[in-house]
Coordinates of all heavy atoms in Angstrom, one line a residue:
M1 N 68.7 43.8 -19.0 CA 69.7 44.4 -18.1 C 70.5 43.3 -17.4 O 69.9 42.4 -16.8 CB 68.9 45.3 -17.1 CG 69.8 45.9 -16.1 SD 68.7 47.1 -15.1 CE 70.0 48.1 -14.5
P2 N 71.8 43.4 -17.4 CA 72.6 42.4 -16.7 C 72.4 42.4 -15.2 O 72.2 43.5 -14.6 CB 74.0 42.8 -17.1 CG 74.0 44.1 -17.7 CD 72.6 44.4 -18.0
K3 N 72.5 41.2 -14.6 CA 72.3 41.1 -13.2 C 73.6 41.5 -12.5 O 74.7 41.3 -13.0 CB 72.0 39.7 -12.8 CG 70.6 39.3 -13.3 CD 70.3 37.9 -12.9 CE 68.9 37.5 -13.4 NZ 68.6 36.1 -13.0
P4 N 73.5 42.2 -11.4 CA 74.7 42.6 -10.7 C 75.5 41.4 -10.1 O 74.9 40.4 -9.8 CB 74.2 43.5 -9.5 CG 72.8 43.1 -9.4 CD 72.3 42.6 -10.7
R5 N 76.8 41.5 -10.0 CA 77.6 40.5 -9.5 C 77.2 40.3 -8.0 O 76.8 41.2 -7.3 CB 79.1 40.8 -9.5 CG 79.6 40.8 -10.9 CD 81.1 41.1 -11.0 NE 81.5 41.3 -12.3 CZ 82.5 40.6 -12.9 NH1 83.2 39.8 -12.1 NH2 82.8 40.8 -14.1
G6 N 77.3 39.0 -7.6 CA 76.9 38.7 -6.2 C 75.4 38.5 -6.1 O 74.9 38.4 -5.0
S7 N 74.7 38.5 -7.2 CA 73.3 38.2 -7.1 C 73.0 36.9 -6.5 O 73.7 35.9 -6.8 CB 72.7 38.4 -8.5 OG 71.4 37.9 -8.5
K8 N 72.0 36.7 -5.8 CA 71.6 35.5 -5.2 C 71.1 34.5 -6.2 O 71.0 33.3 -5.9 CB 70.6 35.7 -4.0 CG 71.2 36.4 -2.9 CD 70.2 36.5 -1.8 CE 70.8 37.3 -0.6 NZ 69.8 37.5 0.5
S9 N 70.8 34.9 -7.4 CA 70.2 34.0 -8.4 C 71.4 33.2 -9.1 O 71.1 32.2 -9.7 CB 69.5 34.8 -9.4 OG 70.3 35.6 -10.1
Q10 N 72.6 33.6 -8.9 CA 73.7 32.9 -9.5 C 74.2 31.7 -8.6 O 74.3 31.9 -7.4 CB 74.9 33.8 -9.7 CG 74.7 34.8 -10.8 CD 75.9 35.7 -11.0 OE1 76.7 35.8 -10.1 NE2 76.0 36.3 -12.1
E11 N 74.3 30.5 -9.2 CA 74.8 29.4 -8.4 C 76.3 29.3 -8.5 O 76.9 29.6 -9.6 CB 74.2 28.1 -9.0 CG 72.7 28.0 -8.8 CD 72.1 26.7 -9.2 OE1 72.8 25.7 -9.3 OE2 70.9 26.7 -9.6
P12 N 76.9 28.9 -7.5 CA 78.4 28.8 -7.5 C 78.8 27.7 -8.4 O 78.1 26.7 -8.6 CB 78.8 28.4 -6.1 CG 77.6 27.8 -5.5 CD 76.4 28.5 -6.2
L13 N 80.0 27.8 -9.0 CA 80.6 26.8 -9.9 C 80.9 25.6 -9.1 O 81.6 25.7 -8.0 CB 81.8 27.4 -10.6 CG 82.5 26.4 -11.5 CD1 81.7 26.0 -12.7 CD2 83.8 27.1 -12.0
Q14 N 80.5 24.4 -9.5 CA 80.9 23.2 -8.8 C 81.6 22.3 -9.7 O 81.3 22.1 -10.9 CB 79.6 22.5 -8.3 CG 78.8 23.3 -7.3 CD 77.6 22.5 -6.9 OE1 77.3 21.5 -7.4 NE2 76.9 23.1 -5.9
L15 N 82.7 21.7 -9.2 CA 83.5 20.8 -10.0 C 83.3 19.4 -9.3 O 83.3 19.3 -8.1 CB 85.0 21.2 -10.0 CG 85.3 22.5 -10.6 CD1 86.8 22.8 -10.4 CD2 84.9 22.5 -12.1
F16 N 83.3 18.4 -10.1 CA 83.1 17.0 -9.6 C 84.4 16.2 -10.0 O 84.6 16.0 -11.2 CB 81.9 16.3 -10.1 CG 81.7 14.9 -9.7 CD1 81.4 14.6 -8.3 CD2 81.9 13.9 -10.6 CE1 81.3 13.3 -7.9 CE2 81.8 12.6 -10.1 CZ 81.5 12.3 -8.8
I17 N 85.1 15.8 -9.0 CA 86.3 14.9 -9.2 C 86.1 13.7 -8.3 O 86.2 13.9 -7.1 CB 87.6 15.6 -8.9 CG1 87.7 16.8 -9.8 CG2 88.8 14.6 -9.1 CD1 88.9 17.7 -9.5
P18 N 85.8 12.5 -8.8 CA 85.5 11.4 -8.0 C 86.8 11.0 -7.2 O 87.9 11.0 -7.7 CB 85.1 10.3 -8.9 CG 85.5 10.8 -10.3 CD 85.7 12.2 -10.3
Y19 N 86.6 10.7 -5.9 CA 87.7 10.3 -5.1 C 88.3 8.9 -5.5 O 89.5 8.7 -5.3 CB 87.3 10.2 -3.6 CG 87.0 11.6 -3.1 CD1 85.7 11.9 -2.7 CD2 88.0 12.6 -2.9 CE1 85.3 13.2 -2.3 CE2 87.7 13.8 -2.4 CZ 86.3 14.1 -2.1 OH 86.0 15.3 -1.6
S20 N 87.4 8.0 -6.0 CA 87.9 6.7 -6.3 C 88.2 6.5 -7.8 O 88.1 5.4 -8.3 CB 86.9 5.7 -5.8 OG 85.6 5.9 -6.5
W21 N 88.4 7.6 -8.5 CA 88.6 7.4 -10.0 C 89.8 6.6 -10.3 O 90.9 6.7 -9.7 CB 88.8 8.8 -10.6 CG 89.0 8.7 -12.1 CD1 88.0 8.6 -13.0 CD2 90.2 8.7 -12.8 NE1 88.5 8.6 -14.2 CE2 89.8 8.5 -14.2 CE3 91.5 8.7 -12.4 CZ2 90.8 8.5 -15.2 CZ3 92.4 8.6 -13.5 CH2 92.1 8.5 -14.8
K22 N 89.6 5.7 -11.3 CA 90.7 4.9 -11.8 C 90.5 4.8 -13.3 O 89.4 4.9 -13.8 CB 90.9 3.6 -11.1 CG 89.7 2.6 -11.4 CD 90.0 1.3 -10.7 CE 88.9 0.4 -11.0 NZ 89.1 -0.9 -10.4
P23 N 91.6 4.5 -14.1 CA 91.4 4.4 -15.5 C 90.4 3.4 -15.9 O 90.3 2.3 -15.3 CB 92.8 4.1 -16.0 CG 93.7 4.6 -14.9 CD 92.9 4.4 -13.6
Y24 N 89.6 3.6 -16.9 CA 88.5 2.7 -17.3 C 89.0 1.3 -17.6 O 88.5 0.3 -17.3 CB 87.8 3.3 -18.5 CG 86.6 2.5 -18.9 CD1 85.5 2.4 -18.2 CD2 86.7 1.7 -20.1 CE1 84.4 1.6 -18.6 CE2 85.7 0.9 -20.5 CZ 84.5 0.9 -19.8 OH 83.4 0.1 -20.2
L25 N 90.2 1.2 -18.4 CA 90.7 -0.1 -18.8 C 91.2 -0.9 -17.6 O 91.3 -2.1 -17.8 CB 91.8 0.1 -19.8 CG 91.3 0.5 -21.2 CD1 92.5 0.7 -22.2 CD2 90.3 -0.6 -21.8
D26 N 91.3 -0.3 -16.4 CA 91.7 -1.1 -15.2 C 90.5 -2.1 -14.9 O 90.8 -3.1 -14.2 CB 92.0 -0.2 -14.1 CG 93.4 0.4 -14.2 OD1 94.1 0.1 -15.2 OD2 93.8 1.1 -13.3
N27 N 89.3 -1.8 -15.3 CA 88.2 -2.6 -15.0 C 88.2 -3.9 -15.9 O 87.4 -4.8 -15.6 CB 86.9 -1.9 -15.3 CG 86.7 -0.8 -14.3 OD1 86.8 -0.9 -13.1 ND2 86.5 0.4 -14.9
K28 N 89.1 -4.0 -16.8 CA 89.2 -5.2 -17.7 C 89.4 -6.5 -16.9 O 88.9 -7.5 -17.2 CB 90.3 -5.0 -18.7 CG 90.6 -6.2 -19.6 CD 91.7 -5.9 -20.5 CE 92.2 -7.2 -21.2 NZ 93.4 -6.9 -22.0
K29 N 90.1 -6.4 -15.7 CA 90.4 -7.5 -14.9 C 89.1 -8.1 -14.3 O 89.1 -9.3 -13.9 CB 91.3 -7.1 -13.7 CG 92.6 -6.5 -14.1 CD 93.4 -6.0 -12.9 CE 93.6 -4.6 -13.1 NZ 94.4 -4.0 -12.0
K30 N 88.1 -7.3 -14.3 CA 86.8 -7.8 -13.6 C 85.8 -8.3 -14.6 O 84.7 -8.6 -14.1 CB 86.2 -6.6 -12.8 CG 87.2 -6.1 -11.7 CD 86.6 -4.9 -11.0 CE 87.5 -4.4 -10.0 NZ 87.0 -3.2 -9.3
V31 N 86.1 -8.4 -15.9 CA 85.1 -8.9 -16.8 C 85.6 -10.2 -17.5 O 86.8 -10.3 -17.7 CB 84.8 -7.8 -17.9 CG1 83.4 -7.4 -18.0 CG2 85.7 -6.6 -17.9
R32 N 84.6 -11.0 -17.9 CA 84.9 -12.2 -18.6 C 84.0 -12.4 -19.8 O 83.1 -11.6 -20.0 CB 84.7 -13.4 -17.6 CG 85.5 -13.4 -16.4 CD 87.0 -13.8 -16.7 NE 87.8 -13.7 -15.5 CZ 88.7 -12.8 -15.3 NH1 88.9 -11.9 -16.2 NH2 89.5 -12.8 -14.3
G33 N 84.3 -13.4 -20.6 CA 83.4 -13.7 -21.7 C 83.5 -12.7 -22.8 O 84.5 -12.0 -23.1
K34 N 82.3 -12.5 -23.5 CA 82.2 -11.5 -24.6 C 82.5 -10.1 -24.2 O 83.1 -9.3 -25.0 CB 80.9 -11.6 -25.3 CG 79.7 -11.1 -24.5 CD 78.4 -11.2 -25.3 CE 77.3 -10.5 -24.5 NZ 76.0 -10.6 -25.2
N35 N 82.2 -9.7 -23.0 CA 82.5 -8.4 -22.5 C 84.1 -8.2 -22.4 O 84.6 -7.1 -22.6 CB 81.8 -8.1 -21.2 CG 80.3 -8.0 -21.4 OD1 79.9 -7.6 -22.4 ND2 79.6 -8.3 -20.4
R36 N 84.8 -9.2 -22.1 CA 86.2 -9.1 -22.0 C 86.8 -8.9 -23.4 O 87.7 -8.1 -23.6 CB 86.8 -10.5 -21.4 CG 88.3 -10.5 -21.4 CD 88.9 -9.6 -20.3 NE 90.2 -9.8 -20.1 CZ 90.9 -10.1 -19.0 NH1 90.2 -10.2 -17.9 NH2 92.1 -10.2 -18.9
K37 N 86.2 -9.5 -24.4 CA 86.6 -9.2 -25.8 C 86.4 -7.8 -26.2 O 87.2 -7.2 -26.9 CB 85.9 -10.2 -26.8 CG 86.4 -11.6 -26.6 CD 85.7 -12.5 -27.6 CE 86.2 -13.9 -27.3 NZ 85.6 -14.9 -28.2
I38 N 85.3 -7.2 -25.7 CA 85.0 -5.8 -26.0 C 86.1 -4.9 -25.4 O 86.6 -4.0 -26.0 CB 83.6 -5.4 -25.5 CG1 82.5 -6.2 -26.3 CG2 83.4 -3.9 -25.6 CD1 81.2 -6.0 -25.7
F39 N 86.5 -5.2 -24.2 CA 87.6 -4.5 -23.5 C 88.9 -4.6 -24.3 O 89.6 -3.6 -24.5 CB 87.8 -4.9 -22.1 CG 87.0 -4.2 -21.1 CD1 85.7 -4.4 -20.9 CD2 87.6 -3.1 -20.4 CE1 85.0 -3.7 -19.9 CE2 86.9 -2.4 -19.4 CZ 85.6 -2.7 -19.2
E40 N 89.2 -5.8 -24.8 CA 90.4 -6.0 -25.6 C 90.3 -5.2 -26.9 O 91.4 -4.7 -27.4 CB 90.6 -7.5 -25.9 CG 91.0 -8.3 -24.6 CD 90.9 -9.8 -24.7 OE1 90.5 -10.3 -25.8 OE2 91.3 -10.4 -23.7
Q41 N 89.1 -5.2 -27.6 CA 89.0 -4.4 -28.8 C 89.2 -2.9 -28.5 O 89.9 -2.2 -29.2 CB 87.6 -4.6 -29.4 CG 87.4 -5.9 -30.0 CD 86.0 -6.2 -30.4 OE1 85.0 -5.4 -30.0 NE2 85.7 -7.2 -31.2
L42 N 88.6 -2.4 -27.4 CA 88.8 -1.0 -26.9 C 90.3 -0.7 -26.7 O 90.8 0.3 -27.1 CB 88.0 -0.7 -25.7 CG 88.2 0.7 -25.1 CD1 87.8 1.7 -26.1 CD2 87.4 0.8 -23.9
Q43 N 91.0 -1.7 -26.1 CA 92.4 -1.5 -25.8 C 93.2 -1.4 -27.1 O 94.1 -0.6 -27.1 CB 92.9 -2.7 -24.9 CG 94.1 -2.4 -24.2 CD 94.4 -3.5 -23.1 OE1 93.9 -4.6 -23.2 NE2 95.2 -3.1 -22.1
A44 N 92.8 -2.2 -28.1 CA 93.5 -2.1 -29.4 C 93.3 -0.7 -30.0 O 94.2 -0.1 -30.6 CB 93.1 -3.2 -30.3
V45 N 92.1 -0.2 -30.0 CA 91.7 1.1 -30.6 C 92.5 2.2 -29.8 O 93.0 3.1 -30.4 CB 90.2 1.3 -30.6 CG1 89.9 2.7 -30.9 CG2 89.5 0.3 -31.5
V46 N 92.5 2.1 -28.5 CA 93.2 3.1 -27.7 C 94.7 3.1 -28.1 O 95.3 4.2 -28.2 CB 93.0 2.8 -26.2 CG1 94.0 3.5 -25.3 CG2 91.6 3.1 -25.8
S47 N 95.3 2.0 -28.3 CA 96.7 1.9 -28.7 C 96.9 2.6 -30.0 O 97.9 3.3 -30.2 CB 97.1 0.4 -28.8 OG 98.4 0.3 -29.2
Q48 N 96.0 2.4 -31.0 CA 96.0 3.0 -32.3 C 95.9 4.5 -32.1 O 96.6 5.3 -32.8 CB 95.0 2.5 -33.2 CG 95.2 1.0 -33.6 CD 94.0 0.4 -34.3 OE1 93.0 1.0 -34.4 NE2 94.2 -0.8 -34.9
L49 N 95.0 5.0 -31.3 CA 94.9 6.4 -31.1 C 96.1 7.0 -30.4 O 96.5 8.1 -30.8 CB 93.6 6.7 -30.1 CG 92.3 6.6 -30.8 CD1 91.2 6.7 -29.7 CD2 92.1 7.7 -31.8
Q50 N 96.7 6.3 -29.5 CA 98.0 6.8 -28.9 C 99.1 6.9 -29.9 O 99.8 7.9 -29.9 CB 98.4 5.8 -27.8 CG 99.6 6.2 -27.0 CD 99.4 7.3 -26.1 OE1 98.4 7.3 -25.4 NE2 100.2 8.4 -26.1
V51 N 99.2 6.0 -30.8 CA 100.2 6.0 -31.9 C 99.9 7.2 -32.8 O 100.8 8.0 -33.1 CB 100.3 4.7 -32.6 CG1 101.2 4.8 -33.9 CG2 100.8 3.6 -31.7
A52 N 98.7 7.4 -33.2 CA 98.3 8.5 -34.1 C 98.6 9.8 -33.4 O 99.1 10.8 -34.1 CB 96.8 8.4 -34.5
L53 N 98.3 9.9 -32.1 CA 98.6 11.2 -31.4 C 100.1 11.4 -31.3 O 100.6 12.6 -31.5 CB 98.0 11.1 -30.0 CG 97.9 12.4 -29.2 CD1 97.0 13.4 -29.9 CD2 97.3 12.1 -27.8
E54 N 100.9 10.4 -31.1 CA 102.3 10.6 -31.0 C 103.0 10.9 -32.3 O 104.0 11.6 -32.3 CB 103.0 9.3 -30.4 CG 102.7 9.1 -28.9 CD 103.1 7.7 -28.4 OE1 103.6 6.9 -29.3 OE2 102.9 7.4 -27.3
K55 N 102.4 10.4 -33.4 CA 102.9 10.7 -34.7 C 102.3 12.1 -35.2 O 102.6 12.4 -36.4 CB 102.5 9.6 -35.7 CG 103.3 8.4 -35.5 CD 103.0 7.3 -36.5 CE 103.8 6.1 -36.3 NZ 103.5 5.1 -37.4
D56 N 101.5 12.7 -34.4 CA 100.9 14.0 -34.8 C 100.1 13.9 -36.1 O 100.2 14.7 -37.0 CB 102.0 15.1 -34.9 CG 101.4 16.5 -34.8 OD1 100.3 16.6 -34.2 OD2 102.0 17.4 -35.4
E57 N 99.3 12.9 -36.2 CA 98.4 12.6 -37.4 C 97.1 13.3 -37.4 O 96.5 13.4 -38.4 CB 98.2 11.1 -37.5 CG 99.5 10.3 -37.8 CD 99.3 8.8 -37.9 OE1 98.2 8.3 -37.7 OE2 100.2 8.1 -38.3
F58 N 96.7 14.0 -36.3 CA 95.5 14.7 -36.2 C 95.8 16.2 -36.6 O 96.7 16.8 -36.0 CB 94.9 14.6 -34.9 CG 94.5 13.3 -34.4 CD1 95.2 12.6 -33.4 CD2 93.4 12.6 -35.0 CE1 94.8 11.3 -33.0 CE2 93.1 11.3 -34.6 CZ 93.8 10.7 -33.7
E59 N 95.0 16.7 -37.5 CA 95.2 18.1 -37.9 C 94.6 19.1 -37.0 O 95.1 20.2 -36.7 CB 94.8 18.3 -39.3 CG 95.6 17.5 -40.4 CD 95.1 17.8 -41.8 OE1 94.4 18.8 -42.0 OE2 95.4 16.9 -42.6
S60 N 93.4 18.7 -36.5 CA 92.6 19.6 -35.7 C 93.1 19.6 -34.2 O 93.3 18.6 -33.6 CB 91.1 19.2 -35.7 OG 90.4 19.8 -34.7
F61 N 93.3 20.8 -33.7 CA 93.7 21.0 -32.3 C 92.7 20.4 -31.4 O 93.0 19.8 -30.4 CB 94.0 22.5 -32.0 CG 94.3 22.8 -30.6 CD1 95.6 22.4 -30.1 CD2 93.4 23.3 -29.7 CE1 95.9 22.7 -28.8 CE2 93.7 23.5 -28.4 CZ 95.0 23.2 -27.9
E62 N 91.4 20.7 -31.7 CA 90.3 20.2 -30.9 C 90.3 18.7 -30.8 O 90.1 18.1 -29.7 CB 89.0 20.7 -31.4 CG 88.8 22.2 -31.1 CD 89.3 23.0 -32.3 OE1 89.8 22.5 -33.3 OE2 89.3 24.3 -32.1
V63 N 90.6 18.0 -31.9 CA 90.6 16.6 -31.9 C 91.8 16.0 -31.1 O 91.7 15.1 -30.4 CB 90.7 16.0 -33.4 CG1 90.9 14.5 -33.4 CG2 89.4 16.4 -34.1
K64 N 92.9 16.7 -31.2 CA 94.1 16.3 -30.4 C 93.8 16.4 -29.0 O 94.1 15.5 -28.2 CB 95.3 17.2 -30.8 CG 95.9 17.0 -32.1 CD 97.1 18.0 -32.3 CE 97.6 17.9 -33.7 NZ 98.6 18.9 -34.0
E65 N 93.2 17.5 -28.5 CA 92.9 17.7 -27.1 C 91.9 16.7 -26.6 O 92.0 16.1 -25.6 CB 92.4 19.1 -26.8 CG 93.5 20.1 -26.9 CD 94.6 19.9 -25.9 OE1 94.3 19.8 -24.7 OE2 95.8 19.8 -26.3
A66 N 90.8 16.4 -27.5 CA 89.8 15.5 -27.1 C 90.4 14.1 -27.0 O 90.0 13.3 -26.1 CB 88.7 15.5 -28.1
T67 N 91.3 13.8 -27.9 CA 91.9 12.4 -27.9 C 92.8 12.3 -26.7 O 92.8 11.2 -26.0 CB 92.8 12.2 -29.2 OG1 91.9 12.4 -30.3 CG2 93.4 10.9 -29.2
R68 N 93.5 13.3 -26.3 CA 94.3 13.3 -25.1 C 93.4 13.0 -23.8 O 93.7 12.2 -23.0 CB 95.1 14.5 -24.9 CG 96.4 14.6 -25.6 CD 97.3 15.8 -25.2 NE 98.2 16.0 -26.2 CZ 98.2 17.0 -27.2 NH1 97.2 17.8 -27.2 NH2 99.1 17.1 -28.1
D69 N 92.3 13.8 -23.8 CA 91.4 13.6 -22.7 C 90.8 12.2 -22.6 O 90.7 11.6 -21.6 CB 90.3 14.6 -22.8 CG 90.7 16.1 -22.6 OD1 91.9 16.3 -22.0 OD2 90.0 17.0 -22.9
F70 N 90.5 11.7 -23.8 CA 89.9 10.3 -23.9 C 91.0 9.3 -23.4 O 90.6 8.4 -22.6 CB 89.5 10.0 -25.3 CG 89.0 8.6 -25.4 CD1 87.8 8.2 -24.9 CD2 89.7 7.6 -26.1 CE1 87.3 6.9 -25.0 CE2 89.3 6.3 -26.3 CZ 88.1 5.9 -25.7
L71 N 92.2 9.4 -23.8 CA 93.3 8.5 -23.4 C 93.5 8.5 -21.9 O 93.8 7.5 -21.3 CB 94.5 8.8 -24.2 CG 94.4 8.5 -25.7 CD1 95.7 8.9 -26.4 CD2 94.2 7.0 -26.0
I72 N 93.4 9.7 -21.4 CA 93.6 9.8 -19.9 C 92.5 9.2 -19.2 O 92.7 8.4 -18.2 CB 93.7 11.3 -19.5 CG1 95.1 11.9 -20.0 CG2 93.6 11.5 -18.0 CD1 95.2 13.4 -19.8
L73 N 91.3 9.3 -19.7 CA 90.1 8.6 -19.1 C 90.2 7.1 -19.1 O 90.0 6.5 -18.1 CB 88.8 9.0 -19.9 CG 87.5 8.3 -19.4 CD1 87.1 8.8 -18.0 CD2 86.4 8.5 -20.4
V74 N 90.7 6.6 -20.2 CA 90.7 5.1 -20.3 C 92.0 4.5 -19.8 O 92.0 3.4 -19.3 CB 90.4 4.6 -21.8 CG1 89.0 4.9 -22.2 CG2 91.4 5.1 -22.8
Q75 N 93.1 5.2 -20.0 CA 94.4 4.7 -19.6 C 95.0 5.2 -18.3 O 95.8 4.6 -17.7 CB 95.5 5.0 -20.6 CG 95.3 4.3 -22.0 CD 96.3 4.7 -23.0 OE1 96.7 5.9 -23.1 NE2 96.9 3.8 -23.6
G76 N 94.5 6.4 -17.9 CA 95.1 7.1 -16.8 C 96.2 8.1 -17.3 O 96.6 8.0 -18.5
N77 N 96.6 9.0 -16.5 CA 97.6 9.9 -16.8 C 99.0 9.3 -16.7 O 99.4 8.9 -15.6 CB 97.5 11.2 -15.9 CG 98.3 12.3 -16.4 OD1 99.0 12.2 -17.4 ND2 98.2 13.4 -15.8
K78 N 99.7 9.2 -17.8 CA 101.0 8.5 -17.8 C 102.1 9.4 -17.8 O 103.2 9.1 -18.2 CB 101.0 7.6 -19.0 CG 100.0 6.5 -19.0 CD 100.2 5.5 -20.1 CE 99.2 4.4 -19.9 NZ 99.5 3.2 -20.7
K79 N 101.9 10.6 -17.3 CA 103.0 11.6 -17.2 C 103.7 11.4 -15.9 O 103.3 11.1 -14.9 CB 102.5 13.0 -17.4 CG 102.1 13.2 -18.7 CD 101.6 14.7 -18.9 CE 101.1 14.9 -20.3 NZ 100.7 16.2 -20.6

C-alpha cells in the first residue's frame, strides 16, 4: 500500500552545491612534477572531448549530456 503524502518517513530532497566550487583544472597551478604532467594529459583529453562535442561526433544523447557535464566540472561553465 503506498504511503500517504506528507508521511514523516519521507526525507526531504537535499541538494549539495559547494560554495567554493571552482573548475577542477584550475588546481593545475598548485601541482608540480609528475602530477602536473597528469593534469596536462587531462587537459589535452578535455580539449579533444570539447572538439568532438562541438563537431557533434557523439551519437548518443546521454553521452553528449554526460560529456557536457564533465567538461563543466573540469573547465567551468564557459557560457
Side-chain angles (χ1 to χ4, degrees):
M1 176 174 204
K3 294 182 181 180
R5 291 181 187 233
S7 170
K8 292 182 180 181
S9 65
Q10 292 179 338
E11 294 183 24
L13 177 65
Q14 295 181 356
L15 299 176
F16 176 72
I17 301 172
Y19 293 111
S20 62
W21 180 84
K22 66 178 183 178
Y24 182 74
L25 285 176
D26 283 358
N27 293 308
K28 177 182 170 184
K29 302 174 238 182
K30 299 178 182 179
V31 238
R32 300 284 176 253
K34 69 177 182 179
N35 291 331
R36 178 71 174 232
K37 290 181 182 182
I38 294 170
F39 268 81
E40 290 169 358
Q41 291 171 345
L42 177 61
Q43 201 166 20
V45 169
V46 164
S47 178
Q48 292 170 352
L49 283 171
Q50 183 72 48
V51 169
L53 192 61
E54 289 170 359
K55 290 183 176 181
D56 200 26
E57 294 179 352
F58 298 110
E59 293 180 22
S60 168
F61 176 76
E62 290 85 5
V63 172
K64 287 179 189 177
E65 288 299 307
T67 302
R68 278 190 196 102
D69 292 344
F70 176 72
L71 292 175
I72 290 171
L73 173 71
V74 295
Q75 295 178 314
N77 193 355
K78 296 190 175 192
K79 291 182 181 181

